[in-house]
Amino acid sequence: MDKAQQALHTAHENPTLCMREKDVVCKYASTVSAEESFFKQKARIEWLSLGDQNTSYFHKSINRRQNRNKLLSLTREDGEVVKGHEVVKSEVVAYFHRVLGVDQMPRVLK
């Protein structure tokens, strides 16, 4: 890819070099995608082999996922930051109530 880009830099209007660079970039993107897929599959295999064994790996990965999915604070539309589980929960419900225009909130959220 470097050679194709260097050649294109010296003769930037050459259509053959443009096509060559495009082909090389497409091959590179395909290779990166295949590599990413390989590592995803490898991680899934590791998860399947270790996940059900109640190992520290299993607990760390679950804790990491839970921490990543938490909403610890929220910035309101007026710029004020709110914290705390109940306050964040009520802000989310109020926001979607305003956006969706729901007349009554579901019983589960009351």
Side-chain angles (χ1 to χ4, degrees):
M1 186 161 57
D2 287 337
K3 289 179 184 179
Q5 287 178 339
Q6 287 173 356
L8 188 62
H9 184 66
T10 57
H12 61 280
E13 294 181 11
N14 187 336
T16 306
L17 292 176
C18 289
M19 289 301 293
R20 185 171 154 207
E21 184 204 24
K22 186 177 179 181
D23 290 341
V24 171
V25 168
C26 286
K27 286 179 185 177
Y28 175 76
S30 175
T31 303
V32 168
S33 177
E35 182 183 37
E36 184 178 334
S37 176
F38 167 76
F39 284 119
K40 237 181 205 180
Q41 290 173 9
K42 185 176 178 182
R44 184 167 300 250
I45 289 169
E46 186 175 346
W47 171 259
L48 289 174
S49 66
L50 296 176
D52 291 336
Q53 295 178 4
N54 204 17
T55 61
S56 63
Y57 172 81
F58 173 75
H59 289 286
K60 285 179 188 175
S61 61
I62 295 298
N63 287 337
R64 191 172 332 135
R65 181 176 296 157
Q66 287 176 344
N67 288 334
R68 185 177 50 222
N69 291 333
K70 283 183 184 175
L71 276 177
L72 300 175
S73 66
L74 192 65
T75 305
R76 291 182 179 164
E77 291 174 327
D78 63 1
E80 182 183 349
V81 176
V82 294
K83 295 181 182 182
H85 178 73
E86 289 301 320
V87 179
V88 169
K89 180 180 170 183
S90 65
E91 277 300 314
V92 169
V93 170
Y95 171 79
F96 283 105
H97 182 72
R98 285 191 308 274
V99 170
L100 299 175
V102 179
D103 291 334
Q104 293 179 340
M105 293 183 2
R107 291 183 192 188
V108 197
L109 298 176
K110 284 185 176 180

